[in-house]
Amino acid sequence: MKNICYYRIYSIRAICGIAFTCSAITAFSQKEDIYSQLRKKYSSENAVYVSRKEDAVIKIENNTPVIYTTTYEELLLLTDETAGYMDNEVYWQDFSSIKDLDARAIIPDGDKYKTIKVTDFKRTNEIAEGEFYDDQRAYKFTYPGLKNGAREILSYTEKITDPHLFGRFFFKTFAPAEEAEYSVTVPQGVKIRYKLFNVKDSMIEFSTKQAGKSTIYTWTAHHATKLKNEEGAPALSYYAPHIVVLLDSYTVNGAEKKVMSDTTALYDWFYSMVKDVNTTISPELKKLVDSITTGATSNVEKVKRIFYWVQDDITYVAYEDSLGGFVPREATLVCSRRFGDCKDMASTLVQMIRAAGLEAYKTWIGTRDIPYSFQDIPSPMATNHMICTYIQDGQAYFLDATGKDAPFGFFTSMIQGKEAFVGMGPEKFEIVKVPVMDTDKNEFIDSTVLKINNAVLEGKGYLRAKGYDKIIAGERLLNYENKEKQDILISLLRKGNNKFRIDSSSFDNLKDRDKDLGIRYKFEINDYLQKNDKDIYINMQLEKEHQNDLIQTDREVPKEFEYKNINKNVNTLEIPKGYKVSYLPSNSSYSDPMFGFNINYQVKDNMLTYQSYVYINTLMLNPADFDRWNKMIRQLTKAYNETVTLTQQ
């Protein structure tokens, strides 16, 4: 699920837009010396932003705040690699509108330039999977005639009619920028507040000035380096320097009205969107719930049955339009047509649990794509998802029916560690934290018994997957036809080399959410053993989890894991008759609170047993952790490369 929801979304090249009130385009030939300097300064880059600016102006119109943001971008292309810069898009939503859209390419033409204005803007609607609020629209367009030395100019103004839905700017993107600037013009009687994220030292220059009865706040970054697109990186907002500006309150006719001043103001806005939905329990819904819960021996059992029914019988479909992004649909309607988005599923769960005579609560939550807490950022920007919360005997059950294969009480991995904004009625709410699932709840345990048959390694195995490991593996195996399922099975069980072959397989609990997944299988691996005269060499680690998984020394971006987990391998080899173990590698281990491993060997009678245990006990590695991680990986890789020697007696 991608980071979404109530704030505007822009292309990855622009990263939340830039705005600036732009006068007529300057005679570019007069700036040639500046562009020449930039070409030298950024000679290793494909492009550089000459300027990225966004200017937000808050006005009071009809006693309501309206925000006008004007964006200006100028991008200089520095090489012949222009294909990745041709296409662009400008996004908006139903609470905003775009005007004065202007895009043009300035193309070198001998010792002059020619301007080619974009005239073909294609308006599209884009519904993205997993989104809680998505009435997103876009103008898509292509810059014509691009070549080395060309410049792209983009400017437009967006009118935002709901003050909850603005206020974020990234100072760095995936291209460097000579200047990145964000400003907010605030009239008298309007209060704002802001928070900078991932800003080090004095990289941002801040200034204020008066303009009549308004105050202009400006944040500027000079010579902003580009961000690297690193594998396994978390969402951009976890590490990219950016600012969030909130409209705290405004005063009209002497009365102060709060907007995003605190969590209470935020809840009032949230609650206004849901208070008129599911106010009564329909006879149809009550009859359905009674049929689902008949015979349940406890309240928790009733809730569990309802949860599983919604998981199984309501299909997740993201479809939004205007306030539909905030307002759930009636539970009776959702149940009758058997589909809905996350807030529909959450609200339906709440209503069905209430129909069973119990209490449950609509809950706003941000997935792990969002780093903000509700206390720091009391804004819709802190949330992009809705779930249901049921509380009994002090224990909160966080029910997310969009996770189709998650067992009851095992919440989806994307909300681990996140704050849940639990709505309990008018002016009543609680903010509680969803736990991070313990490491030992997610295990991948693969045990094999091996024997050598001439040059072939044959084996019987049993894989046991629990927790998120089971959910992911089970979902993949259940949702594909036989051919794809066989490919997935091979990818799950692959050992040794690419000549690994599964001879037969069977499953335990594949369709049972409440039990661990078991896979029984027989396999063989050709050309895995090495023979030399009287010796057989065999690497007992058939699966090398995290081998050579080093983090580059120049990486500045965190590395994210979907969940904590343990990976175990137990491989037991029947020593061939007439052979003995002449060389056994030393045991090896590395222990850290965040990650580690343990590898050991044992020979007993005619059996050689290899055991490996690798654990990841964190969801995020920060740069300060990289050296320790690399130390562990080097030791682990070295241990993986060790081989056992069997010698004929």
Side-chain angles (χ1 to χ4, degrees):
M1 174 177 234
K2 68 176 183 179
N3 189 0
I4 45 149
C5 208
Y6 305 95
Y7 49 92
R8 293 159 295 137
I9 306 173
Y10 297 85
S11 70
I12 201 168
R13 296 174 56 223
I15 309 298
C16 284
I18 328 302
F20 179 65
T21 303
C22 178
S23 60
I25 297 176
T26 309
F28 289 98
S29 59
Q30 298 176 5
K31 285 189 172 183
E32 184 58 35
D33 57 335
I34 296 175
Y35 297 124
S36 296
Q37 293 172 20
L38 292 178
R39 291 174 69 85
K40 293 178 182 178
K41 182 176 180 179
Y42 297 97
S43 59
S44 62
E45 302 292 344
N46 288 326
V48 58
Y49 282 104
V50 180
S51 182
R52 298 175 55 247
K53 296 187 178 182
E54 183 174 311
D55 176 29
V57 179
I58 302 173
K59 297 182 179 181
I60 302 297
E61 298 180 356
N62 298 321
N63 296 329
T64 302
V66 177
I67 299 98
Y68 294 86
T69 64
T70 305
T71 294
Y72 175 79
E73 298 176 2
E74 181 180 352
L75 182 72
L76 172 63
L77 303 181
L78 302 173
T79 70
D80 294 326
E81 300 294 328
T82 62
Y85 301 93
M86 293 174 61
D87 297 327
N88 205 345
E89 52 274 317
V90 172
Y91 290 97
W92 79 98
Q93 295 170 339
D94 276 359
F95 292 96
S96 65
S97 59
I98 301 293
K99 67 176 183 177
D100 300 329
L101 175 59
D102 183 89
R104 58 188 67 198
I106 313 298
I107 310 297
D109 185 16
D111 58 355
K112 298 179 180 180
Y113 292 91
K114 63 179 180 181
T115 299
I116 306 177
K117 189 171 182 177
V118 176
T119 58
D120 185 14
F121 295 95
K122 295 180 180 178
R123 175 172 172 156
T124 64
N125 286 25
E126 297 194 353
I127 299 297
E129 181 181 358
E131 298 199 355
F132 172 27
Y133 172 62
D134 188 7
D135 59 344
Q136 185 172 296
R137 312 287 186 263
Y139 285 120
K140 295 192 173 185
F141 56 94
T142 299
Y143 290 102
L146 295 181
K147 64 179 181 179
N148 192 336
R151 292 185 291 277
E152 299 176 0
I153 305 293
L154 173 65
S155 63
Y156 60 91
T157 297
E158 180 179 13
K159 178 182 179 181
I160 303 169
T161 57
D162 191 313
H164 294 88
L165 310 179
F166 100 106
R168 188 168 75 157
F169 180 82
F170 285 78
F171 295 99
K172 289 187 178 184
T173 70
F174 293 99
E178 269 295 277
E179 182 181 58
E181 182 178 284
Y182 182 67
S183 68
V184 182
T185 300
V186 182
Q188 195 173 44
V190 174
K191 296 179 182 179
I192 65 166
R193 56 198 177 95
Y194 66 90
K195 186 176 179 65
L196 290 161
F197 292 87
N198 310 313
V199 172
K200 298 178 181 178
D201 304 323
S202 56
M203 69 168 290
I204 305 298
E205 180 183 300
F206 173 67
S207 65
T208 62
K209 68 177 182 179
Q210 293 299 124
K213 294 183 179 181
S214 296
T215 302
I216 302 175
Y217 301 85
T218 304
W219 297 265
T220 306
H222 298 285
H223 319 300
T225 57
K226 73 175 182 180
L227 299 170
K228 291 184 178 180
N229 191 7
E230 302 278 12
E231 183 179 357
L236 195 68
S237 47
Y238 276 92
Y239 60 91
H242 66 282
I243 187 171
V244 174
V245 177
L246 303 181
L247 199 159
D248 194 318
S249 65
Y250 63 98
T251 300
V252 174
N253 300 325
E256 184 181 41
K257 297 186 178 182
K258 294 183 177 181
V259 181
M260 291 179 286
S261 55
D262 53 28
T263 52
T264 298
L266 177 61
Y267 181 67
D268 289 344
W269 189 73
F270 279 162
Y271 186 71
S272 71
M273 300 290 182
V274 301
K275 64 182 178 65
D276 296 325
V277 179
N278 291 327
T279 56
T280 60
I281 297 171
S282 70
E284 297 90 344
L285 191 70
K286 182 67 169 67
K287 181 179 179 180
L288 172 63
V289 171
D290 287 346
S291 69
I292 294 169
T293 58
T294 296
T297 58
S298 68
N299 291 339
V300 169
E301 178 64 23
K302 290 181 181 180
V303 174
K304 179 179 178 180
R305 290 190 185 186
I306 293 169
F307 176 62
Y308 283 171
W309 186 90
V310 174
Q311 276 186 317
D312 293 338
D313 288 72
I314 304 297
T315 300
Y316 175 80
V317 177
Y319 63 111
E320 305 303 344
D321 187 22
S322 190
L323 284 176
F326 301 96
V327 182
R329 295 162 183 86
E330 292 288 335
T332 301
L333 175 64
V334 174
C335 290
S336 66
R337 61 188 186 185
R338 301 297 176 95
F339 67 87
D341 59 16
C342 72
K343 66 186 181 303
D344 296 333
M345 298 174 85
S347 181
T348 298
L349 272 171
V350 170
Q351 192 72 347
M352 292 179 73
I353 292 170
R354 289 176 177 172
L358 306 171
E359 188 56 272
Y361 310 102
K362 300 180 187 72
T363 301
W364 294 264
I365 195 167
T367 67
R368 285 167 49 204
D369 287 334
I370 299 176
Y372 315 122
S373 72
F374 289 108
Q375 286 80 6
D376 280 346
I377 306 295
S379 157
M381 197 178 299
T383 178
N384 62 348
H385 194 41
M386 183 179 276
I387 62 173
C388 166
T389 301
Y390 173 71
I391 301 173
Q392 180 169 312
D393 300 327
Q395 180 179 350
Y397 295 85
F398 301 103
L399 308 179
D400 182 2
T402 65
K404 286 294 186 182
D405 298 296
F408 180 75
F410 210 94
F411 39 80
T412 50
S413 64
M414 65 185 178
I415 64 173
Q416 293 180 93
K418 296 295 297 181
E419 288 181 340
F421 205 121
V422 184
M424 297 180 167
E427 301 180 353
K428 185 179 181 182
F429 66 90
E430 289 185 6
I431 297 176
V432 296
K433 184 166 283 192
V434 177
V436 175
M437 201 61 72
D438 291 339
T439 307
D440 60 4
K441 296 292 180 64
N442 309 303
E443 286 188 324
F444 206 82
I445 305 170
D446 197 0
S447 301
T448 67
V449 177
L450 310 168
K451 69 176 182 178
I452 298 172
N453 185 359
N454 294 321
V456 178
L457 185 65
E458 298 178 342
K460 297 179 181 179
Y462 185 77
L463 173 71
R464 183 167 68 89
K466 59 187 290 190
Y468 295 127
D469 284 309
K470 182 267 175 81
I471 292 170
I472 293 172
E475 182 181 50
R476 294 174 66 195
L477 290 167
L478 281 169
N479 292 330
Y480 289 91
E481 299 300 327
N482 289 337
K483 176 59 173 68
E484 290 87 353
K485 185 179 293 185
Q486 183 67 14
D487 293 341
I488 291 168
L489 193 60
I490 289 174
S491 70
L492 285 171
L493 302 174
R494 187 185 300 280
K495 294 170 174 56
N497 58 33
N498 59 8
K499 295 186 178 181
F500 170 80
R501 190 183 76 188
I502 298 175
D503 294 325
S504 63
S505 62
S506 62
F507 302 96
D508 295 335
N509 311 317
L510 181 58
K511 297 182 179 180
D512 191 332
R513 278 169 293 213
D514 294 315
K515 295 180 180 179
D516 297 344
L517 169 66
I519 304 176
R520 290 182 171 83
Y521 60 101
K522 294 181 180 180
F523 65 95
E524 63 178 41
I525 312 173
N526 282 289
D527 299 332
Y528 183 71
L529 307 171
Q530 294 185 22
K531 287 190 174 184
N532 181 14
D533 195 16
K534 294 184 177 182
D535 294 329
I536 298 175
Y537 304 96
I538 180 170
N539 188 315
M540 290 294 294
Q541 177 58 38
L542 303 181
E543 297 181 66
K544 298 176 173 59
E545 185 78 7
H546 298 296
Q547 183 180 35
N548 295 320
D549 192 10
L550 293 170
I551 296 175
Q552 297 301 311
T553 56
D554 62 346
R555 177 168 175 151
E556 299 177 354
V557 175
K559 180 181 176 69
E560 185 177 34
F561 299 101
E562 185 176 351
Y563 50 88
K564 300 178 179 181
N565 83 315
I566 293 170
N567 193 293
K568 293 181 180 179
N569 283 276
V570 181
N571 299 321
T572 301
L573 173 68
E574 179 183 335
I575 300 171
K577 188 174 181 180
Y579 281 81
K580 68 176 182 179
V581 176
S582 58
Y583 175 76
L584 196 66
S586 300
N587 295 336
S588 181
S589 65
Y590 185 96
S591 180
D592 186 279
M594 298 175 71
F595 42 76
F597 73 91
N598 186 284
I599 290 176
N600 65 73
Y601 297 83
Q602 183 179 17
V603 177
K604 186 175 181 180
D605 299 328
N606 69 326
M607 305 301 289
L608 165 63
T609 301
Y610 167 93
Q611 296 185 60
S612 69
Y613 176 100
V614 181
Y615 66 90
I616 305 296
N617 193 36
T618 184
L619 297 180
M620 188 89 71
L621 292 178
N622 290 306
D625 308 315
F626 291 172
D627 284 346
R628 300 191 334 273
W629 171 266
N630 283 347
K631 183 179 179 181
M632 187 268 285
I633 293 299
R634 290 188 185 97
Q635 291 188 23
L636 179 63
T637 301
K638 181 180 178 181
Y640 280 164
N641 290 333
E642 292 280 1
T643 60
V644 173
T645 304
L646 305 177
T647 302
Q648 191 172 17
Q649 301 183 59

